[in-house]
Amino acid sequence: MPFFSNQGSFWSKNTTAQKKLKAANEIINELREILPICSYCKNIRDDKGYWDKVEAYIQKHSGKRFTHGIYPECAKKYFPIWICIRKR
């Protein structure tokens, strides 16, 4: 009979350790999803401490390529004369 009680104790300890390991893995996965980005220039720091432009970082990690345009509200804000000329 003592064999079974020790075995039960082993399994409960093992289950507790598994729960702690699972919780730690969840925290690590959450941290992997966080991108350190500069609040001013929007460059992203990689795992080696180097800073890349957002476009370069995403292209390296996803293979996506970028094309650039201008958001209409930014065009109004930064190029108001250009907007006036286009409306003519």
Side-chain angles (χ1 to χ4, degrees):
M1 196 60 116
F3 176 75
F4 290 106
S5 64
N6 287 340
Q7 186 178 11
S9 176
F10 169 78
W11 288 115
S12 65
K13 287 180 185 176
N14 192 26
T15 302
T16 303
Q18 286 176 339
K19 287 179 183 176
K20 287 181 180 179
L21 181 60
K22 183 179 178 183
N25 280 332
E26 288 173 1
I27 291 170
I28 290 169
N29 287 334
E30 283 180 23
L31 291 173
R32 283 185 182 146
E33 294 175 4
I34 295 174
L35 288 177
I37 188 167
C38 175
S39 60
Y40 292 98
C41 68
K42 306 302 182 209
N43 285 348
I44 296 175
R45 190 180 70 232
D46 67 13
D47 295 336
K48 295 177 183 170
Y50 296 104
W51 291 87
D52 278 326
K53 296 215 174 289
V54 172
E55 297 90 339
Y57 183 89
I58 292 174
Q59 186 171 0
K60 275 189 217 175
H61 291 85
S62 72
K64 300 286 183 190
R65 296 185 319 164
F66 281 80
T67 182
H68 287 85
I70 189 162
Y71 176 61
E73 294 300 315
C74 290
K76 289 178 192 174
K77 181 177 179 179
Y78 296 106
F79 304 101
I81 294 173
W82 182 65
I83 296 298
C84 290
I85 292 170
R86 284 193 68 191
K87 287 184 179 181
R88 290 183 189 178

